[in-house]
Amino acid sequence: MKPHLILTLILGSGLVPALEHLSAEPSSLAPAGWMTGAPRAEIQPEFEFDAGGGSDGNGCLIIRADSREGLDGWWTKTFPISGGKAYRFSALFKSSSVPIARRSIVAKIDWQDDQGESVPLDEPTVASYLRGHTGTAETEFPSVRGIDPKGWTEVSDTYRAPSRAKRAAVTLRLQWAPGGEVRWSNAKLVESEPPKARPVRLAAVHLRPHGGKTPLDNCKQYEPLIAQAAAQNADLVVLGETLTCVGLGKKPSELAEPVPGPATEYFGSLARKHKLYIVAGLFERERHLVYNSAVLLGPDGAIVGKYRKTCLPRSEIDAGVCVGNDYPVFQTRFGKVGLMICYDGFFPEVARELANRGAEVIAWPVWGCNPLLARARACENHVYLVSSTYEDVSSNWMISAVFDHAGEAIAQAKDWGSVAVAEVDLNHRTQWVSLGDFKAEIPRHRPVGDWEK
């Protein structure tokens, strides 16, 4: 049996300057520089180093909680760095009896000066609040990636260190998991190439079809606007809600069509012609059911996927429209896209579920809605949101626009029959005073839903 090292937290500083061990064999000593800590002695878990229990047969750092609620502790190591250079962090973990890993198993990085103090950010923070405050480099939370065949989960990300940083404190944590255990393996922080940008051009169309007699007449009114967006190198073009019925004076059940069907075939041909993605809203029929749906068409003209509206207003319920029950997110050539429709925007759960599933952009065909909700949904999830509405700007209601991570409309189509295009970087990390990169914090800090228990 391999010797194990049981490490006991020394009270006071929270970090252990020396480690008490039960075995003197060199193979059982924790790697140089790794120390343990806990917020308070009475909630510290048990720490152990297994010299041969790691993902590659080398050592792993173990944190083990007993049956009590609220235990919280970590392994930590400080790495010397050069400010302004890029570094890649990576680690692997394997857990048991940890029901909500996203909350309980946390890797984090803190940029520090020589004295272990925080350092200022180099890039600007969101300027619309806490004006005059200097942005500090807040804690980084690397992303959870895939699981390898042996059951080890990767946590990794690449960062540019603040120019005044001299070291990085890496912390590997287990918290709030009674009876749980985590094994951390192969934790590294190494100099690397800077993170690359992922630019994408998002387009919002502002058009309310009129004068048509058939659903296809309405569809054709979007053709020149899609061409305008393509001329501006748009990657994604968002059209209106249930556009096949606007102004035709008929019930949803009379105009609903299958998917695939005439409308998706038409917009698919335009997507293929211009080699871009199109989101179009329509009433969808499946047997006796009618849905308010949004369909994502790809550059090859094929249907990438569809979303059925999950929050229905009274008028649609009374018209016999059926409610959707899923929140799909679709991989595109530029990133992950989620869809929601009009009334969904009044309820934060829809956008949050799309973000939980990895959506980086949310396309939102919307008849009309409170524009403050567009800002909120984009800001609270740190997603780019693209809306296409039938409201005139004079009504001071919903707008056709592209919203950024701070909830600001960075491009707006104000005139009927116009297109707004904005280029964004999906790898841009929006920084907030006191919060840092809030998008990275969401999986760690958002509450636990009933479906996760």
Side-chain angles (χ1 to χ4, degrees):
M1 176 175 171
K2 294 182 180 178
H4 289 283
L5 175 65
I6 305 299
L7 304 167
T8 303
L9 177 68
I10 296 178
L11 306 181
S13 67
L15 295 180
V16 185
L19 302 178
E20 179 182 349
H21 55 86
L22 301 181
S23 175
E25 288 83 0
S27 63
S28 67
L29 294 176
W34 285 102
M35 300 183 290
T36 62
R40 292 183 288 114
E42 61 186 333
I43 61 170
Q44 75 173 53
E46 180 182 275
F47 303 97
E48 180 180 347
F49 176 69
D50 186 340
S55 61
D56 52 3
N58 293 320
C60 69
L61 306 168
I62 302 172
I63 311 174
R64 185 180 297 116
D66 60 30
S67 60
R68 291 175 295 161
E69 294 280 350
L71 298 196
D72 183 359
W74 58 79
W75 287 89
T76 188
K77 180 178 179 178
T78 299
F79 293 79
I81 63 165
S82 297
K85 292 187 176 181
Y87 291 86
R88 177 170 176 77
F89 168 81
S90 62
L92 298 170
F93 74 80
K94 183 183 286 187
S95 65
S96 60
S97 301
V98 180
I100 313 295
R102 67 168 180 81
R103 288 260 288 187
S104 294
I105 300 173
V106 180
K108 65 189 189 76
I109 303 168
D110 289 286
W111 308 109
Q112 301 173 346
D113 62 17
D114 282 330
Q115 287 72 48
E117 300 296 328
S118 299
V119 295
L121 283 171
D122 297 323
E123 63 266 36
T125 55
V126 176
S128 59
Y129 83 119
L130 288 178
R131 293 183 177 91
H133 288 251
T134 301
T136 300
E138 304 289 346
T139 300
E140 311 280 17
F141 292 90
S143 301
V144 175
R145 310 294 180 179
I147 302 176
D148 71 15
K150 295 181 180 180
W152 291 88
T153 298
E154 178 186 350
V155 182
S156 63
D157 259 321
T158 301
Y159 304 94
R160 188 185 295 276
S163 60
R164 290 172 59 178
K166 299 298 183 182
R167 63 192 201 184
V170 170
T171 303
L172 310 175
R173 195 165 192 158
L174 176 68
Q175 56 193 21
W176 316 327
E181 176 185 287
V182 64
R183 292 171 173 256
W184 288 100
S185 175
N186 208 22
K188 302 175 184 177
L189 185 72
V190 297
E191 190 175 337
S192 71
E193 292 295 317
K196 295 181 179 179
R198 280 197 296 145
V200 57
R201 294 181 66 80
L202 307 173
V205 169
H206 191 52
L207 174 70
R208 181 168 184 162
H210 64 281
K213 295 183 178 180
T214 68
L216 190 57
D217 289 342
N218 283 6
C219 295
K220 289 181 178 179
Q221 293 182 42
Y222 284 93
E223 182 171 4
L225 301 179
I226 294 170
Q228 283 184 36
Q232 298 179 62
N233 299 314
D235 295 290
L236 173 69
V237 183
V238 179
L239 314 182
E241 178 188 13
T242 58
L243 61 87
T244 53
C245 80
V246 178
L248 299 185
K250 294 185 178 181
K251 297 178 181 179
S253 58
E254 297 175 303
L255 294 168
E257 60 183 71
V259 174
T264 57
E265 289 177 6
Y266 177 75
F267 286 119
S269 69
L270 295 180
R272 182 170 57 251
K273 176 181 178 181
H274 297 292
K275 296 180 174 56
L276 45 68
Y277 292 87
I278 295 174
V279 173
L282 75 161
F283 281 119
E284 175 196 1
R285 176 175 287 278
E286 184 177 57
R287 304 185 311 278
H288 63 289
L289 300 175
V290 172
Y291 296 95
N292 184 338
S293 298
V295 182
L296 175 63
L297 291 309
D300 60 356
I303 293 173
V304 178
K306 65 183 178 184
Y307 163 77
R308 291 166 169 171
K309 191 174 182 179
T310 56
C311 300
L312 300 183
R314 296 183 300 273
S315 58
E316 291 181 22
I317 295 172
D318 292 344
V321 176
C322 188
V323 67
N325 57 14
D326 195 14
Y327 306 91
V329 170
F330 308 105
Q331 183 66 57
T332 71
R333 69 188 180 198
F334 57 80
K336 294 183 178 180
V337 175
L339 314 176
M340 68 180 190
I341 303 169
C342 198
Y343 198 54
D344 288 331
F346 282 93
F347 303 92
E349 294 86 351
V350 178
R352 176 50 53 88
E353 284 307 306
L354 296 172
N356 288 348
R357 288 158 172 76
E360 299 167 287
V361 177
I362 294 179
W364 191 21
V366 47
W367 197 294
C369 190
N370 188 334
L372 294 177
L373 298 176
R375 298 189 62 184
R377 300 297 87 85
C379 179
E380 68 197 6
N381 296 295
H382 270 216
V383 295
Y384 294 102
L385 188 148
V386 189
S387 60
S388 177
T389 184
Y390 299 138
E391 290 292 333
D392 189 84
V393 292
S394 63
S395 66
N396 195 29
W397 197 229
M398 193 56 211
I399 61 175
S400 297
V402 180
F403 296 85
D404 67 7
H405 289 175
E408 300 295 335
I410 55 176
Q412 180 183 351
K414 296 182 179 180
D415 299 322
W416 290 118
S418 64
V419 179
V421 180
E423 181 169 303
V424 302
D425 176 7
L426 296 184
N427 274 350
H428 174 69
R429 300 191 308 126
T430 301
Q431 299 282 353
W432 299 76
V433 173
S434 83
L435 287 174
D437 176 11
F438 182 64
K439 186 178 181 71
E441 298 185 12
I442 292 173
R444 305 307 185 194
H445 297 164
R446 68 177 174 84
V448 176
D450 289 341
W451 61 92
E452 295 179 282
K453 295 178 181 178

